[in-house]
Amino acid sequence: MPSFVKAIGPLSSTLHGLVISSVLLSAAVGSLCAGSLSDTLGRTRAIAIGALVFAVGAAIEAGSVNLVMFVFGRAIVGIGEGLFFSTPVVYICEISPPQKRGLLAYTMQILVTLGLCLGYFISYGTVRIPSSLSWRLPLALQSVTAILMAAASSFYLPQSPRWLTYKGRRDEALAVWDQLGVLTAEREKDDELEQKEPTTASRELAGRNQPWKQQVASAFKIFRKDGRKQMALGVFMMGMQQLSGIDGVLYYAPLLFQQAGLSSTKASFLASGVSAIVIFAVTIPAFLFADQWNRRSSTSYGGLGVFACMTIIGSLYASDSVHANEGGGRWVVIVAIYIFLVFYCMTWAGGMKIYASEIQPVATRAGATSLAQSANCITNFLVALTTPIFLASSSFGVYFLFGGASILTVIVCTIFMPETRGRSLEAIDESFRQPNVIHFTMPTTFRKVMSRVASRYQGPESRVSSTSRDVEMDTLAVPS
């Protein structure tokens, strides 16, 4: 926007990347504190505090008179985002019955994509305002929205009953279960968890009386043996989620479309808005089928789709098949970007966030999910910082980087990712407690295809036994 350049000053590609990514580095710091804050004050209060910090930062951005003030505001926004962004998924997972956990947790992703869509078109509408209000107004609206979120979290949302139980506040937890209408069977599983770990709950209750060294040590409980596997898998998945290139596409969509041949600034900005509409539209079926699609299969197939799209785009640029004013290469690139968005938003966008939270034990869920969100922010920062630099020096290298990261994620998740759809949080936790076992899994459809191929070279008896094993075995445990 010309009015932004006039008020803040022109930005080089490196400075552009720093300004965009400054919010992510501070978000990584905020995410590291979010788990402790959520465990101490509760999920809803942590969300409210983070939203208020975000509102202050957005207000500073909106009132900025120079680049230093603007970057400072973005840093405050990042801290607030880090404090509250991972906690809603934890909260929703803890209050949801297993059969509806994916559907309810995906509500957050629906709202994120709706906000993204509205943000693009609000900015497209305000860009024509001749004054600095063209860029200050969208930022001011962010501040107001964050204040409303803080108020709703403080006065409307009940505390997580699992958090209340873990803190020893059983009467309050039962009242919240009644308010949520959760079945007695789910409460019994929660009671069993409290009986298994009474000493941990007691330590949490006595937290205020502990020496400060013990309180600091409790922050590292996510590295305990009973939660290390889940924590490592969640951190890996959330970090690699950003290395798919999604935010490189979202942050620099106008630049990518200009590179592909859309020379008009308005046409490029409108294309970015169309991308937002596509993201929101494809998130709706992902939301509706969140509890019908296996988490494992969704992750594997989505990653293969992301890999294919990035490889196609990189190959076209590497072979010099994309020209601004002629040829079909530029349109293949634009279509491939949209297909990439479809694959990502229907699989990795919400599914990985839900999975990284639901596999964690209750004692470390907030802390491990916050660490995973911090890893997400750090990789997001690196992507946002380096994407314009990569594009300035090479038109294809960054796409091969994203594609390689995606196929690596598919391989790791295929081997180590047990299925969680429809299972209680306590049952998921128990599956990770089995000693010296890794979960080798493969998508059901792929397993059936391989079984049919193998059966062609087996006798009738072997064919029957092979089919029986396919029906019975969903996860193969291999000694680690």
Side-chain angles (χ1 to χ4, degrees), residues 6-26:
K6 182 178 180 180
I8 304 299
L11 304 177
S12 65
S13 60
T14 302
L15 196 56
H16 188 190
L18 284 171
V19 171
I20 292 293
S21 59
S22 59
V23 67
L24 303 170
L25 198 59
S26 59

Side-chain angles (χ1 to χ4, degrees), residues 21-269:
S21 59
S22 59
V23 67
L24 303 170
L25 198 59
S26 59
V29 176
S31 295
L32 291 175
C33 303
S36 179
L37 183 68
S38 178
D39 283 337
T40 303
L41 301 179
R43 316 308 191 206
T44 56
R45 290 173 185 167
I47 294 171
I49 292 172
L52 286 175
V53 174
F54 184 99
V56 171
I60 293 174
E61 283 185 284
S64 296
V65 295
N66 54 49
L67 182 60
V68 173
M69 185 176 177
F70 186 79
V71 172
F72 176 74
R74 285 186 66 78
I76 300 298
V77 163
I79 293 173
E81 180 181 313
L83 288 175
F84 77 77
F85 198 71
S86 63
T87 309
V89 180
V90 173
Y91 176 76
I92 295 171
C93 285
E94 290 185 344
I95 67 173
S96 304
Q99 295 78 10
K100 296 182 180 179
R101 188 170 59 242
L103 181 69
L104 294 174
Y106 234 102
T107 304
M108 180 178 172
Q109 188 64 26
I110 281 280
L111 295 176
V112 167
T113 55
L114 177 61
L116 179 67
C117 189
L118 291 175
Y120 270 123
F121 284 98
I122 288 173
S123 298
Y124 185 71
T126 61
V127 72
R128 301 183 182 183
I129 299 176
S131 67
S132 63
L133 192 64
S134 61
W135 59 271
R136 296 185 192 275
L137 180 59
L139 296 171
L141 290 176
Q142 285 186 6
S143 182
V144 172
T145 303
I147 292 173
L148 294 176
M149 179 179 178
S153 299
S154 299
F155 302 110
Y156 178 72
L157 296 179
Q159 276 289 6
S160 164
R162 282 188 167 91
W163 178 82
L164 290 171
T165 300
Y166 186 72
K167 288 292 186 179
R169 295 156 61 177
R170 282 195 41 75
D171 292 340
E172 294 177 62
L174 291 173
V176 174
W177 284 130
D178 288 334
Q179 184 180 353
L180 295 173
V182 175
L183 298 176
T184 305
E186 288 303 309
R187 305 183 193 186
E188 291 173 352
K189 292 173 184 176
D190 199 47
D191 292 341
E192 292 173 5
L193 181 65
E194 185 191 28
Q195 293 170 8
K196 284 182 180 180
E197 299 187 358
T199 56
T200 304
S202 299
R203 285 197 300 269
E204 292 291 333
L205 283 168
R208 294 187 179 183
N209 299 322
Q210 292 178 349
W212 69 271
K213 288 185 178 180
Q214 288 180 297
Q215 293 192 30
V216 171
S218 68
F220 291 90
K221 61 187 176 182
I222 59 174
F223 298 102
R224 293 187 315 199
K225 185 176 180 180
D226 59 349
R228 270 201 303 260
K229 295 177 184 177
Q230 300 95 305
M231 180 272 294
L233 183 58
V235 169
F236 173 82
M237 291 178 68
M238 289 296 287
M240 298 305 286
Q241 184 192 51
Q242 290 303 327
L243 285 179
S244 67
I246 181 61
D247 278 339
V249 172
L250 295 182
Y251 291 149
Y252 304 109
L255 180 61
L256 295 178
F257 282 108
Q258 286 178 10
Q259 185 188 43
L262 294 180
S263 57
S264 169
T265 301
K266 289 185 178 180
S268 180
F269 201 81

Side-chain angles (χ1 to χ4, degrees), residues 421-451:
R421 179 176 66 91
R423 303 178 66 188
S424 70
L425 297 180
E426 291 73 23
I428 295 170
D429 182 30
E430 191 62 32
S431 70
F432 278 95
R433 290 178 182 269
Q434 300 175 13
N436 300 321
V437 170
I438 62 173
H439 298 271
F440 180 84
T441 58
M442 65 177 66
T444 304
T445 304
F446 179 76
R447 188 174 65 245
K448 289 180 178 179
V449 170
M450 295 302 295
S451 177

